[in-house]
Amino acid sequence: MAFFLCLCRKVSPHDESNFVVCNPATEKWVVLTDTDSVALYYLFGFDPAISPHFHVFEIINGDEDYGYIDGVNIYSSETGTWSYKGNGWGDELQLVQSRDVFLNGMMHLLTHDFKILTVDTEGKKWRTIPLLETMCALFTCSGPLAFIGQSHGLLHYINMRCPDTSKLSVWILEDYASGEWILKYSISTSHIFGE
């Protein structure tokens, strides 16, 4: 089962839009109600192994100048409503855009200060997973050269480190409860992409 989260702009009036979740297999559409919040990002969470329901996470902007997180609105397809939860992670946190993973019923977000933030679908469980100093990556104008992902039910962190950006390192959060990261392997970028 696959879903798509889309922003659909209205023809008239031009300045209005709605987020829509579509399931192409069933041809069902859900138009999300507006929250009247200033959002930094919208993130989609769905895992059919856990629940047939999807969730949309609206990360709320707490500071327009710096993009710090104020809280999270969470939409549940089960209830058809949004619920607001204040920031349970702490102050002055900025997310790296498009670096999120929905795993084990938790949304995982990468920050600019090399932490992974998690929140569950009800906004009751908040966690900060620190990265090892050796996992910190080189920065570009769009953020660190680092990504999070998942495979076989485990959280992965992939990065290129400064000063040697010719190597790509893959880390696995082997013990989720303790936050223990294991270096799975490092590989030369020329080995993957060629010279």
Side-chain angles (χ1 to χ4, degrees):
M1 190 179 318
F3 288 96
F4 294 99
L5 175 64
C6 309
L7 178 62
C8 298
R9 299 205 183 276
K10 295 181 181 179
V11 175
S12 178
H14 293 293
D15 60 344
E16 290 187 15
S17 60
N18 288 98
F19 276 95
V20 176
V21 176
C22 169
N23 181 341
T26 63
E27 297 184 7
K28 291 187 179 178
W29 299 78
V30 176
V31 179
L32 305 184
T33 56
D34 191 12
T35 63
D36 295 324
S37 300
V38 178
L40 290 166
Y41 306 107
Y42 288 87
L43 311 168
F44 186 79
F46 174 69
D47 185 348
I50 294 175
S51 170
H53 302 288
F54 66 82
H55 295 85
V56 177
F57 296 78
E58 179 187 50
I59 309 300
I60 307 301
N61 190 356
D63 185 326
E64 290 182 27
D65 293 332
Y66 297 102
Y68 294 135
I69 302 168
D70 182 53
V72 179
N73 276 324
I74 303 171
Y75 178 87
S76 166
S77 66
E78 182 175 21
T79 64
T81 60
W82 290 95
S83 62
Y84 173 79
K85 303 296 179 185
N87 181 352
W89 297 302
D91 296 331
E92 298 188 0
L93 291 168
Q94 295 176 311
L95 298 179
V96 179
Q97 187 173 1
S98 301
R99 314 266 170 92
D100 58 273
V101 170
F102 188 71
L103 176 65
N104 300 326
M106 306 282 286
M107 182 57 72
H108 296 72
L109 311 156
L110 182 62
T111 68
H112 278 275
D113 58 347
F114 301 106
K115 296 176 185 169
I116 295 175
L117 309 178
T118 70
V119 62
D120 71 335
T121 57
E122 296 178 353
K124 293 181 178 177
K125 298 176 186 171
W126 300 76
R127 181 175 178 195
T128 300
I129 302 171
L131 302 176
L132 303 173
E133 187 175 325
T134 54
M135 296 170 75
C136 295
L138 178 69
F139 266 86
T140 67
C141 59
S142 61
L145 291 174
F147 302 88
I148 56 176
Q150 61 132 336
S151 179
H152 302 290
L154 297 173
L155 187 65
H156 286 61
Y157 175 84
I158 302 161
N159 71 341
M160 295 176 77
R161 290 204 20 102
C162 187
D164 187 4
T165 58
S166 67
K167 287 188 181 174
L168 190 67
S169 298
V170 177
W171 300 79
I172 297 175
L173 188 60
E174 193 163 81
D175 186 346
Y176 195 88
S178 71
E180 181 183 349
W181 289 98
I182 303 295
L183 176 63
K184 183 70 174 176
Y185 59 85
S186 288
I187 189 166
S188 166
T189 54
S190 63
H191 181 74
I192 300 171
F193 305 113
E195 296 296 326

